Structures are given as structure tokens and as C-alpha cells.
Amino acid sequence: MKRSLVVVSNRLPFVISTNENGDPVRKNSAGGLVTALAPLVIKNDGYWVGWAGNDLTENMQIPESDDPTAIAHGIKSSQIIPIYLSKETFDLYYNGVCNGTLWPLMHSLPTLAVFRGDQWSAYVAVNELFSNSTFEAVKKFDNLDEKSNLVWIQDYQLMVMPMMLRNLLDEAHITCKLAFFLHIPFPSWDIFRLNPWANEILLGLLGCDLIAFHTNTYASNFIECCFYILGARVDRKEMIIEYGNKTSVVRALPIGIPYDWFEKNARIAPKPFNFKEKVIFGVDRLDYTKGIIQRVRGYERFLEKYPDCREKVVFFQVAVPSRTDVEDYRNLKDELEREIGRISGRFATAEWTPIKYICNNISQFDLAGYYRDARIGLITPVRDGMNLVAKEYVACQIDDPGVLIISPFTGAGETMNEALLVNPLEQDLIADAIKTAYDMKYYERKLRMNALQTRERLFNLDTWLESFFDAVDMIDNFKKMKSLNVSDYESWLGPILKGYNLSIILDYDGTLVPLQTHPDLAVLPDDVKSLLEKLAECKHIDVTILSGRSMENLKRLIKIKNINLSGSHGMELCLANGLQEECEQAVIFRAKIPDLVKELRENVCEHGGWIEEKRYHVTFHWRDTNPSFKQLMIQKATEIVQKYGFQATRAHCAVEARPPIGWDKGRGVYNILEKLYGVTWADTYKAVFIGDDETDEDAMRALSGLGITFRVGKPHVKTAASHRLANPDAVKIFLEWAIGYVDRIKSTIQTPVTERRLQAIRRKN
């Protein structure tokens, strides 16, 4: 099936360098990602977004390929969307967050991770640049309403980009599926939460329709992170995540290799070894996750423990240079070479060197020969996403088969059960595994290798691609999560609230009623009004409506007995017990409002915006502003607001002018609770707050640890809320749950502190 396609990866499928004349030339890139995805981009006349290297500048034209044998030869320069990064930005983004923070953390090595705010800011900025460039590529699609349109985002360098792109596409009303594949492990939630930006990463990935991993373990870890860190609804059986009004499908899609290519080249590759000894072979990128140091020491233990095997084996290790500009990697290289030198010095004889070591790249073609002629493939990372080396070794065992030893801490180790599994952190286990492989008879080697080859031949690279696109095309048909119901709230809130009275504080617009084009159209639905009336009569529940609307406006909209009202973000208060008050600090700003309103109407409303005048503040609504003038009008409105001494605050499609007295909904919530129950309210009351926009975040932060909070609507920004809700209908279900709350637990409801004290005094007397 041909589709409109954009592939997005950190790097392009080739590297741009300059020749002696300073002209840009393409240099082929090797690797499984290019092998898999370049033909897709060619077949679909798609686009590839990525960084092309430091040599490419914005005034250079990307050349066409002059090498017909290159995998990416058929990708024209017009299909390339290059990302330009300064050296400083690239260093902060790539060496900083990608390799200094995410790489060790995702490999469950948190003590090696470095967390720096400036590096994270660069990571976000680069992801935003990728998002904007990808959006421009999508706009080139022939049909922007076609459901098969796809952006496929690759790997950990771009984990906050998907939600950025989703917001751009939604705002432009462009139909396009977003998919993400992670090529490295995803850790358990108790490790991932160590990342100060865990929320932002999870939120970014949930902009995708499909999020895919190598193994079920990684997929399950991601789901658990969304559940425990974000408070998302999850269906573990169907592997679906619902967050706000967005649903994402999670799948385990293990990547394979071009099996036939390796098998074919294993038959014709030159003979690499001239040893009479049996060869133990390892090939890895020089990285601390690959367990090379541990492997070398395990081999040393093998020589110690089984001296009869000395001079009968040679360990041949290839280490591919990696991140040579990073000190930790240079230190790793030095340590490895010291260990190899020490072991060679300890065991070598005049005619035998126990370890051969190469620190260089070897072509895939030549590597096929190394795999073929190695009696033992020793692949022992301490953590690895998949490890294709193990699969490549298997594909190249065409004659007298060897034995694969693999770490269970790789993705491949979860399925390659016929290999010898060994914990790379225990030297004796490595030594014993090598001895077992060394002694293994032909029939057992053949039996195990046949089983491995059958699986890898079947689940090859083409199978991975087919599985991925099958999953993409089935997104709309996947079993949906069950609709939110009362039992969901019971599971979230029941254990936390049990025994407490409830103080429910609700925003109005976007929470109790859907957002409307004009505030006067936001009328409380009859069924919601009925639920609020029932709650207002419950003995152990208080309900408060806290809104940015004025008190006068709230009283006109909400005519419910025994309900508390708080307007102007809490600066006006009217309690059911008769208490009424307003913020004295805000009163002095009321005199400035008429002039502020007049100047705003004269300067920012000519392109569709309009002004809402309230008691203590003014709101400029820019939702209907002509898109061409939107940013200009927002900027003008902000400047005018500040000119009159008000604080300019962003709200949903609006700029609010507030008195600069440090008052927000967080302070408003505290004021409401203290006026209702006194300063010790948390002893017997649990507050539940539900809101839908940035002004409500202040209340959510204020109640962190003291109550339960929900944010309604799209998950396009980070929230301090405990949970997300899709829409006002989900809030209505909460109200239904709350009505039954008292009846279910009334025998355990705590008596307010003051009443308990009076009872104790009476008993004492």
C-alpha cells in the first residue's frame, strides 16, 4: 500500500561532508535503520527529516547520490528535510541529554545519568525544530484528509516531539497518524521517574497513535510509567493508554535483520581468521552498556578455571569506536585496552595470544565472514534494546554451526531461548557458559542453531516492517478502552478518600459545561444541574464552583441551593452558610478597568477578538482572531495589560488582565477551605478539584499532597493534576460517583475535629 509518509530520525540516511572544493557530497550511512526505512521512503515518494551533520550549512544545496549501490541512492534531495544545529546546541542536546541523561537511564544505569536544566532546554528546543520541520513536510502531502497519512518518528532523541507535532496538526485540521518506535530499552517506572522530566517525555510520546517497542517488557514498563507517573487510564491486557481525550496504542514489535542478505554474504565473505584455535567472537559498539569489560574478565576467569582450554581458543573482540569526543567513552577504551593487555600478559605464550582486539569499523560484508567462522558468539551486554549482532551471528552459521552465548538483559535474549543465557555480571557464569559451548557436540549445536535460524528467518526485517504497518493500519479498529465509569473513580479515589468528608471544588467553563464560543452560551445542562443539587444535599459533601467569571455572572448561571460560589478566581466568595467577602487588595484596581477595556477594544479586537469585562479583571478572547494576526494581537494585548499595571496571564485562547496581588486559584482554594472548615481542614476533609486550563493549574499545585486533582481536555501540556479526564461528560460521571460515596462509607466518615473535641469533653464530664 502506497501512502504519504514522513520518516523522522536524529540523522539523515546519509552524512553530508565537503570535498576539497568545499562542495557538499553524500557519504553512505550503514545500519539497520537506513536498510529498513530508506526503501520505504523511496517507494512512497516520502520525506526524511533529520540532521545532516556539522558540515551542511543552510546556504548549501544537498547533492543527489552518485553511488547507485547505496541503500539511500533513490532518495532525491527534494525528499530531504535537513535540520541545522549549531555545534553548541548539538552538544547540549546530543552529548548532553541524549547520551548523558537518556542513554544511561533508559538502560537502567541511573547512577551514570547527568541531569542539567540547560541541556534539557536544548533538547526541547531541538525537538520543537524537528516538529516544525516535519509539519512543513506533512503539508506537502497530496491529500491532507487521507487516513493513511503517516509520520514515523524514531528513537529516544525525539521523545517530546510527537505531542508538539500533534498540536500543530490538530490546529491545522490535518489528518495524519503519528507512530513512534524506540530502538533502546524502556526501564521500569521506579527508574524512569528519577528523570526530572519524566512527565514531559511521557506526555510527548502520548501524542502518538502508536508507540512501539522491541519487547513486551519494555511496552509494559511504558504503560506502568503512564499509570503511576501521569495517572493515565490504562488497559494492560489490550495495551491501550487513555490520557485526557487522547488514546494511544502500545505494541511490542521486535525488529529483525535482513536474514537472507547475511546468509548469502556468509557464503562468499573472505576467511578472516588463520587460527588453528577455536574462535570466540564478540563485536560491539564501544559503550558501557555492552558489557565488554565484564566479558573480558569472564574470559579471564574461563582461562583460570579451565586451564586445559588454554592455547585451544582465541577470544577475538571487535570494538567499534563510539562517541570519541566524550571523556567517559575515552576512559572506557583505555580501561578495556589495559584489561586486554593485562590478561594477555598473564596467559600468553610464545606461540599463543589469548585475546585479539580490533578497535575499528568492519564492513557488514566482512563481518559476515567473522560470524561464520566463529565457533562461539559471545554477546553479553549488561543492557541492550534488542542486539542485532546476536541475530546476525545466527544467520551466518551456514556450515558447522557454532554456539551463541547471550545476555538475558537484551531484547533478543527474551526470545532466543535456544542460546546459552548468561548473566554478564558474574564472571564464573561467563566462564562456565564458554566451557559448555566449547564442549558442545555437533548434534546439539546443530539442533539449537536450527531452532534459532528458523525463528530469525521468519521474523526478519521485512516481517518487522509488515507488523508495524499492520499495527498502524489497525489503529482505528483496535479494541477501545471501556468507557469511563463510576468504578474507575472508585479505584482512583476510594482507597485515598475512605473515611474523609469531601470538599469538591469545580471550575465551570470547560469542566461542568463544554467550552463555547461565547461565555453566555455556556449553560449548565439539566442532568449536571440535577447531580449538583443532589450533592449539595449530601451531609458529608460540600460543593464549590470556583471560576474566573464574576460572582454576578455565576449567580445568574448557577441557581442551586446550598452550593458555594467563588468568582474572579476566588477573589469573590459567597458561601452557602451566608458568608460573603471580596478581596480588599483587588478593589483598588477596579477603577482602572474601564480605561483598560476601552484601549483593548480599540487596539486588539479588529480581527475577530473580543473583550470580557469582569469585576476585578479583564479577558481578551482571541479564539476567533484571524490566524494571520493572532500572535500580533496577543502581543499587543499583553503590552496594554502591563501598561495599566495588571498582570498578563495566559488562559485558554485568552489573555487575562489580573490585579498583581499574587492571587490565583491556588490561593482561592486555600481561602475557600479555611473559610469552610478552619485551618485544620485537612484532618477530616479531602479536597477534590477539577479544572480544564492553565488558570486551574495553580489550584492543582496548591492541592498537591493534600487532595486529588483532575484536568479536563487535551493532554497537550504538562499538568500538576493527579489524573486527566477527556471532557465534561467524564466530570458528570465523577458527580455520579460522589453521590454514592457517602452511602458506601458513611459508617467510617470522620467527625470534624471541633465536633470530636466537644464529644470528648462531654464524655469526660
Side-chain angles (χ1 to χ4, degrees), residues 585-593 616 644-646 658-661:
Q585 294 171 291
V587 172
I588 61 174
F589 285 86
R590 285 175 58 187
K592 297 182 178 182
I593 286 180
Y616 302 120
Y644 279 83
F646 284 78
R658 295 189 197 172
I661 58 175

Side-chain angles (χ1 to χ4, degrees), residues 515-531:
L515 290 170
Q516 303 292 339
T517 55
H518 194 280
D520 291 346
L521 300 175
V523 178
L524 197 64
D526 290 340
D527 54 351
V528 175
K529 183 178 180 181
S530 176
L531 290 170

Side-chain angles (χ1 to χ4, degrees), residues 606-765:
E606 59 185 306
H607 300 290
W610 55 279
I611 305 299
E612 183 183 6
E613 183 177 348
K614 304 176 184 179
R615 185 170 180 82
Y616 302 120
H617 57 284
V618 177
T619 303
F620 164 54
H621 294 273
W622 49 260
R623 182 199 307 271
D624 298 324
T625 300
N626 184 319
S628 301
F629 297 94
K630 186 180 296 181
Q631 291 304 319
L632 178 61
M633 295 300 102
I634 291 172
Q635 181 181 345
K636 273 190 176 183
T638 300
E639 292 171 354
I640 293 170
V641 167
Q642 292 171 342
K643 170 185 169 183
Y644 279 83
F646 284 78
Q647 178 184 352
T649 305
R650 295 293 291 269
H652 184 75
C653 295
V655 175
E656 284 194 346
R658 295 189 197 172
I661 58 175
W663 192 286
D664 55 35
K665 282 190 177 179
R667 188 170 170 184
V669 161
Y670 282 154
N671 188 48
I672 291 165
L673 293 168
E674 289 178 14
K675 290 294 189 298
L676 286 171
Y677 318 116
V679 294
T680 58
W681 60 268
D683 289 346
T684 51
Y685 278 86
K686 279 291 185 184
V688 177
F689 178 85
I690 308 180
D692 77 302
D693 68 15
E694 287 303 303
T695 65
D696 297 307
E697 287 292 326
D698 297 313
M700 295 166 186
R701 283 187 286 268
L703 289 174
S704 177
L706 294 171
I708 299 93
T709 54
F710 296 85
R711 179 155 176 175
V712 181
K714 288 179 61 177
H716 59 289
V717 292
K718 180 184 177 183
T719 181
S722 312
H723 300 277
R724 289 265 192 181
L725 299 176
N727 48 46
D729 287 338
V731 181
K732 183 171 69 174
I733 297 170
F734 165 77
L735 299 179
E736 293 171 354
W737 171 85
I739 289 172
Y741 170 75
V742 174
D743 291 336
R744 289 191 299 276
I745 62 163
K746 58 185 176 184
S747 61
T748 61
I749 288 282
Q750 294 189 35
T751 307
V753 176
T754 52
E755 191 173 332
R756 291 207 310 270
R757 287 173 181 164
L758 287 173
Q759 291 174 354
I761 292 170
R762 292 190 192 104
R763 286 195 299 270
K764 185 176 181 180
N765 293 336

Side-chain angles (χ1 to χ4, degrees), residues 40-57:
L40 285 175
V41 174
I42 296 168
K43 173 185 174 183
N44 292 282
D45 297 322
Y47 300 93
W48 195 309
V49 180
W51 180 68
N54 286 320
D55 288 347
L56 183 67
T57 60

Side-chain angles (χ1 to χ4, degrees), residues 34 52 55 170 188 199 217-219 238-239 251-252 314 381 392 413 423 446 456 524 610 628 630 676 689:
V34 176
D55 288 347
D170 286 352
S188 59
N199 289 56
T217 299
Y218 305 154
E238 299 296 332
M239 301 181 77
R251 288 292 179 267
V314 170
E392 292 166 1
N423 187 326
K446 184 68 174 176
E456 298 310 323
L524 197 64
W610 55 279
S628 301
K630 186 180 296 181
L676 286 171
F689 178 85

